[in-house]
């Protein structure tokens, strides 16, 4: 199947991470964080998810570029043999 | 009892997740050109995808909720379901069994049974498996709808139909590959969604040392942080024998090595090497899942011991309702935002349980029942269409089962138990069939039937301590043995069923003539199959090396949490 699942996974966590980060920033020092032992858990989780999502997208991109380079090299080989 | 107040941000997270799930199904729709693409994912997926799907298909919500409950009841001893109750079987599947499953070109576990043994053995397995998966999927739906009703005050019927519709949509669009790709997404969501809860909970109780200290505050829960030390014949898990042979050998090998729900994920891999690596790649996260699901159970107990005034576990009967450990912890520690994330992770795990069962049902129904007994010999397009329609049919029957479960809760417990009886004898038939060429179709069939029957009889003649209904056992009139818990009873039922099945398979096989020649069994039996040569580029990518690493980590973890 031609779907690279790293892209939707990366995109979803990046999006959710951005939302949680913004929400975390908007609710800095909000008293609702008393239940999560005083930590702004939305901000922390949001940043973590942004990093994870970006990492997935980055890996997907690197793999794709490497594949393109490999295919080009293969084509060059074939062309040389034809000559 | 609505206990959660969700805000727009929680709902946004849920909606985004569902949009991605359906989007993946939609993106895969264009590849669904033949039955193999729809029902076998075209045998083209990379090993890391099938590996994560392999454990994610098993990481249904009943597992998450059940393991957290067990963590609260038995503490670290629950890890026996992982380090001894899963890892050895996953290694065995990868190294010894996968070459036959993948190499035989069988499209399903029942089809392998047909190639190795005969038609009736396949039929027995295909029908029992089809019914079992539909029930499992229906029970998942029921449990999800019930939980949403209790926690969020959502309408039971609405939750049931919406979740069924979403699962139907993405499995109908993209078949097995859609279920597998979504399982990978769900895997990450479950880990990332529960991680904040575990971290905050652990910090609250004072880390590992604090947890041990707080568990020791109550004599009844002291020492719960040990996995092996507390094990004795009186322990609810029923002593070393029960754990090693019942759980670690029969039940675990019966599940991981013969259940098509998980084996199907490995069979969808793109090459023999990837198929063998699937269970091993899955084993790495599997070893660490206990920290995500068992720790919450122990944190809940520590909070109760500490007298934490913001945490309560509802009472059920004469004890706590342990099934609510995860929801109640979410309520205790997670503010709006991450709360939505945690609840979405919980829903994701329910849905992966449903979708996994629906796709496994599809393949077995279409290939092993419809194509074999009802309408054989049609062109491929016909079976693609049947596979798609089976998805709708499977989800509809699951909904029906969910309502049966709502009406007759005990009946469902009983049925689940009956089907649990089928796995142990099945593994006996597989052992005899894969590793001796002498085992015959008659031997396997009568082994399966007698094993299943003896399991039912042992259940009828034994009871767990304090059993009040006949569903727990003892319905045959006399109680010959009482076990410290239902779990210990199950382990021993499995041991006996397996032994009876193995003996009957061997005796019946030896007393009849061989029905298949060496040539027919090539690729299906160990002695008659050339040794698999792995084509991995580097030595550290080879299945055997990975298997040793997995085994070593499991041993180290067991020693650390002794």
């Amino acid at each position: 199947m031609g779907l690279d699942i790293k892209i939707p996974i990366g995109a979803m966590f990046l999006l959710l991470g951005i939302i949680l980060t913004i929400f975390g920033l908007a609710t800095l020092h909000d008293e609702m964080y008393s239940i999560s032992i005083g930590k702004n858990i939305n901000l922390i989780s949001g940043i973590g998810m942004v990093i994870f999502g970006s990492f997935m997208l980055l890996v997907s991109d690197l793999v794709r570029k490497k594949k393109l380079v490999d295919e080009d090299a293969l084509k060059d080989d074939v062309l040389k043999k034809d000559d | 009892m609505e206990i959660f107040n969700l805000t727009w941000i929680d709902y946004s997270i849920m909606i985004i997740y569902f949009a991605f799930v359906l989007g993946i199904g939609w993106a895969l729709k264009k590849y669904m050109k033949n039955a193999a693409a729809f029902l076998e994912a075209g045998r083209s997926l990379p090993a890391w995808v099938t590996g994560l799907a392999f454990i994610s298909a098993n990481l249904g919500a009943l597992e998450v909720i059940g393991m957290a409950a067990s963590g609260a009841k038995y503490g670290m001893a629950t890890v026996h379901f992982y380090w001894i109750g899963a890892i050895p079987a996953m290694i065995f599947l990868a190294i010894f069994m996968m070459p036959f499953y993948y190499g035989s070109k069988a499209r399903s576990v029942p089809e392998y049974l047909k190639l190795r043994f005969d038609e009736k053995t396949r039929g027995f397995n295909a029908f029992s498996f089809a019914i079992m998966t539909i029930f499992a999927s229906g029970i998942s739906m029921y449990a999800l709808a019930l939980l949403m009703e209790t926690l969020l005050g959502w309408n039971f019927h609405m939750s049931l139909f919406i979740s069924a519709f979403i699962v139907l949509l993405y499995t109908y669009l993209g078949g097995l590959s859609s279920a597998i790709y979504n399982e990978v997404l769900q895997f990450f969501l479950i880990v990332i969604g529960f991680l904040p809860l575990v971290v905050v909970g652990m910090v609250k109780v004072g880390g590992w040392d604090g947890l041990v200290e707080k568990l020791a505050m109550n004599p009844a829960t002291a020492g719960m942080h040990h996995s092996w030390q507390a094990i004795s014949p009186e322990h609810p898990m029923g002593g070393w024998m029960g754990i090693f042979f019942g759980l670690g050998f029969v039940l675990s090998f019966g599940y991981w090595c013969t259940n098509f729900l998980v084996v199907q994920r490995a069979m969808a891999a793109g090459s023999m090497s990837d198929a063998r690596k699937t269970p091993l790649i899955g084993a790495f996260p599997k070893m660490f899942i206990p920290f995500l699901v068992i720790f919450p159970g122990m944190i809940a107990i520590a909070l109760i011991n500490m007298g934490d005034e913001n945490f309560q576990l509802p009472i059920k009967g004469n004890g706590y309702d342990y099934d609510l450990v995860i929801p109640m912890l979410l309520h205790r520690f997670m503010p709006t935002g991450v709360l939505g994330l945690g609840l979405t992770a919980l829903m994701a795990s329910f849905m992966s349980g449903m979708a996994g069962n629906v796709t496994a049902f599809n393949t077995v129904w279409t290939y092993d029942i419809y194509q074999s007994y009802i309408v054989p010999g049609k062109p491929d397009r016909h079976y693609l269409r049947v596979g798609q329609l089976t998805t709708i049919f499977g989800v509809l029957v699951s909904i029906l089962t969910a309502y049966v479960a709502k009406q007759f809760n005990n009946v469902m417990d009983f049925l689940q138990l009956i089907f649990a009886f089928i796995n142990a004898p099945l593994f006996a038939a597989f052992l005899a069939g894969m590793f001796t060429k002498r085992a015959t179709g008659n031997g396997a069939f009568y082994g399966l039937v007698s094993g299943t029957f003896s399991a039912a009889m042992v259940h009828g003649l034994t009871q767990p301590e304090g059993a009040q209904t006949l569903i727990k056992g003892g319905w045959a009139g006399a109680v010959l043995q009482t076990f410290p818990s239902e779990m210990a009873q199950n382990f021993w039922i499995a041991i006996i069923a397996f032994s009876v099945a193995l003996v009957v398979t061997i005796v019946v096989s030896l007393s009849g003539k061989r029905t298949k020649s060496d040539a027919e069994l090539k690729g299906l039996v160990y002695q008659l199959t050339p040794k698999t040569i792995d084509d991995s580029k580097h030595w550290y990518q080879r299945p055997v090396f990975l298997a040793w690493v997995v085994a070593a980590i499991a041993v180290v973890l067991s020693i650390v949490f002794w």
Side-chain angles (χ1 to χ4, degrees):
Chain A
M1 304 289 136
L3 177 72
D4 181 4
I5 189 65
K6 291 189 283 298
I7 296 172
I9 291 176
M12 186 182 93
F13 282 105
L14 185 62
L15 182 61
L16 291 180
I18 290 172
I19 292 177
L20 278 183
T21 307
I22 295 173
F23 185 67
L25 288 173
T27 53
L28 273 182
H29 312 300
D30 192 289
E31 64 175 33
M32 73 177 176
Y33 294 115
S34 64
I35 62 169
S36 55
I37 52 174
K39 295 276 183 290
N40 188 328
I41 191 77
N42 283 329
L43 184 61
I44 301 169
S45 307
I47 293 173
M49 284 158 73
V50 167
I51 294 171
F52 174 75
S54 316
F55 174 77
M56 283 304 239
L57 291 176
L58 188 74
V59 172
S60 163
D61 197 49
L62 288 177
V63 170
R64 209 189 52 220
K65 278 191 184 135
K66 188 167 177 295
K67 242 187 216 158
L68 286 179
V69 172
D70 287 353
E71 273 166 20
D72 283 351
L74 208 70
K75 263 185 219 155
D76 289 350
D77 282 359
V78 174
L79 286 177
K80 267 175 209 156
K81 266 177 208 154
D82 282 355
D83 294 342
Chain B
M1 176 191 84
E2 294 173 48
I3 59 163
F4 290 110
N5 291 311
L6 299 187
T7 63
W8 61 272
I9 186 142
D10 303 308
Y11 290 115
S12 317
I13 292 172
M14 283 176 199
I15 290 167
I16 290 171
Y17 166 70
F18 290 129
F20 271 89
V21 167
L22 295 177
I24 289 172
W26 184 256
L28 288 164
K29 188 172 158 260
K30 59 173 188 268
Y31 299 104
M32 300 300 127
K33 291 202 163 61
N34 52 49
F38 189 75
L39 297 168
E40 300 169 72
R43 291 206 170 194
S44 60
L45 305 181
W48 75 271
V49 169
T50 52
L52 290 180
F54 186 85
I55 58 151
S56 190
N58 168 257
L59 194 64
L62 299 179
E63 161 101 359
V64 172
I65 287 177
M67 287 298 145
S70 182
K73 275 191 271 186
Y74 313 121
M76 275 309 267
T78 310
V79 299
H80 298 319
F81 282 96
Y82 293 82
W83 301 337
I84 189 148
I87 301 302
M90 289 164 91
I91 292 176
F92 187 80
L93 172 67
I95 302 300
F96 296 104
M97 291 178 73
M98 220 49 227
F100 308 110
Y101 277 138
Y102 198 85
S104 70
K105 298 288 170 221
R107 297 168 299 180
S108 66
V109 167
E111 192 161 75
Y112 174 85
L113 287 172
K114 145 110 175 138
L115 294 173
R116 173 61 190 84
F117 295 116
D118 57 11
E119 199 59 66
K120 61 180 178 297
T121 315
R122 177 237 285 255
F124 184 82
N125 182 240
F127 279 101
S128 57
F129 182 79
I131 298 170
M132 189 172 72
T133 43
I134 284 297
F135 273 111
S137 152
I139 289 169
S140 263
M141 280 184 198
Y142 161 71
L144 173 65
L146 187 69
L147 199 68
M148 293 303 119
E149 188 181 34
T150 337
L151 301 179
L152 305 172
W154 290 0
N155 182 289
F156 178 90
H157 311 282
M158 192 193 78
S159 309
L160 188 74
F161 278 89
I162 290 180
S163 61
F165 184 69
I166 292 172
V167 169
L168 171 63
L169 214 54
Y170 78 78
T171 46
Y172 181 85
L173 287 171
L176 178 63
S177 14
S178 178
I180 288 182
Y181 279 131
N182 271 309
E183 277 155 9
V184 177
L185 180 74
Q186 282 148 358
F187 169 79
F188 286 112
L189 182 65
I190 292 168
V191 172
I192 293 173
F194 288 147
L195 204 58
L197 179 70
V198 178
V199 173
V200 172
M202 279 307 268
V203 173
K204 174 73 189 174
V205 299
W208 175 253
D209 290 337
L211 182 67
V212 173
E213 200 179 288
K214 267 124 208 169
L215 289 173
M217 285 161 73
N218 178 346
T221 60
M224 258 172 68
H225 60 287
H226 288 298
S227 62
W228 282 108
Q229 269 188 22
I231 297 298
S232 69
E234 290 77 41
H235 189 275
M237 286 196 156
W240 290 68
M241 268 292 281
I243 291 176
F244 263 104
F245 291 100
L247 173 62
F249 182 60
V250 180
L251 280 177
S252 141
F253 282 65
Y255 178 81
W256 292 101
C257 302
T258 70
N259 192 317
F260 185 52
L261 171 64
V262 288
V263 173
Q264 184 179 33
R265 270 75 199 145
M267 286 166 88
S271 68
M272 171 70 90
S273 179
D274 279 359
R276 296 179 76 200
K277 275 184 256 179
T278 296
L280 298 170
I281 290 172
F284 283 96
K286 181 78 183 166
M287 284 188 283
F288 296 97
I289 287 176
F291 301 114
L292 214 57
V293 295
I294 299 175
F295 273 20
M298 301 204 301
I299 291 169
I301 297 301
L303 289 173
I304 291 172
N305 287 355
M306 285 159 77
D308 185 283
E309 55 201 24
N310 296 316
F311 181 77
Q312 280 169 330
L313 214 46
I315 303 289
K316 186 186 183 185
N318 45 9
Y320 292 113
D321 187 355
Y322 292 108
D323 286 346
L324 288 178
V325 161
I326 298 260
M328 295 318 283
L329 282 174
L330 283 173
H331 179 64
R332 166 67 184 84
F333 289 123
M334 297 288 105
T336 185
V338 278
L339 175 64
L341 188 70
L343 285 174
T344 309
L346 205 56
M347 288 185 198
S349 68
F350 275 105
M351 293 201 173
S352 82
M354 283 189 248
N357 280 298
V358 168
T359 48
F361 171 80
N362 259 354
T363 309
V364 167
W365 171 267
T366 307
Y367 286 153
D368 293 296
I369 297 176
Y370 185 82
Q371 193 179 31
S372 305
Y373 304 118
I374 303 175
V375 183
K378 289 272 184 177
D380 185 76
R381 275 215 72 75
H382 178 75
Y383 297 109
L384 168 63
R385 198 69 202 123
V386 169
Q388 290 170 329
L389 293 175
T390 306
T391 313
I392 302 176
F393 169 72
V395 171
L396 287 179
V397 182
S398 302
I399 294 176
L400 200 70
T401 333
Y403 277 101
V404 175
K406 187 174 156 67
Q407 288 300 315
F408 310 101
N409 227 326
N410 287 336
V411 175
M412 292 316 275
D413 283 352
F414 191 64
L415 284 173
Q416 260 193 312
L417 199 71
I418 297 289
F419 289 116
F421 293 161
I422 291 170
N423 270 342
L426 187 60
F427 182 58
F430 266 96
L431 268 191
M434 274 189 176
F435 299 97
T436 72
K437 47 186 185 178
R438 192 61 187 77
T440 63
N442 278 345
F445 181 75
Y446 292 110
L448 283 179
V449 174
S450 63
T452 309
F453 178 74
S454 59
M457 280 323 288
V458 178
H459 183 253
L461 292 169
T462 60
Q463 262 185 345
E465 242 167 43
Q468 296 187 344
T469 64
L470 294 181
I471 284 158
K472 309 275 182 210
W475 44 267
V479 176
L480 303 180
Q481 171 86 37
T482 307
F483 292 103
S485 74
E486 230 171 297
M487 218 188 316
Q489 184 192 26
N490 284 341
F491 295 169
W492 282 99
I493 289 176
I495 294 175
I496 293 167
F498 171 82
S499 311
V500 169
L502 193 62
V503 169
V504 171
T505 304
I506 292 170
V507 170
V508 174
S509 294
L510 289 177
S511 59
K513 276 209 184 82
R514 271 186 69 180
T515 45
K516 298 226 169 183
S517 66
D518 278 8
E520 285 173 297
L521 293 181
K522 192 164 178 284
L524 300 171
V525 177
Y526 190 75
Q527 290 87 337
L528 301 170
T529 306
K531 207 164 166 286
T532 335
I533 314 262
D534 192 77
D535 56 358
S536 298
K537 231 189 261 171
H538 305 286
W539 58 271
Y540 54 81
Q541 293 173 332
R542 292 198 183 125
V544 175
F545 174 74
L546 289 175
W548 281 110
V549 176
V550 169
I553 300 176
V555 170
V556 170
L557 284 172
S558 301
I559 295 170
V560 171
F561 291 93
W562 181 257

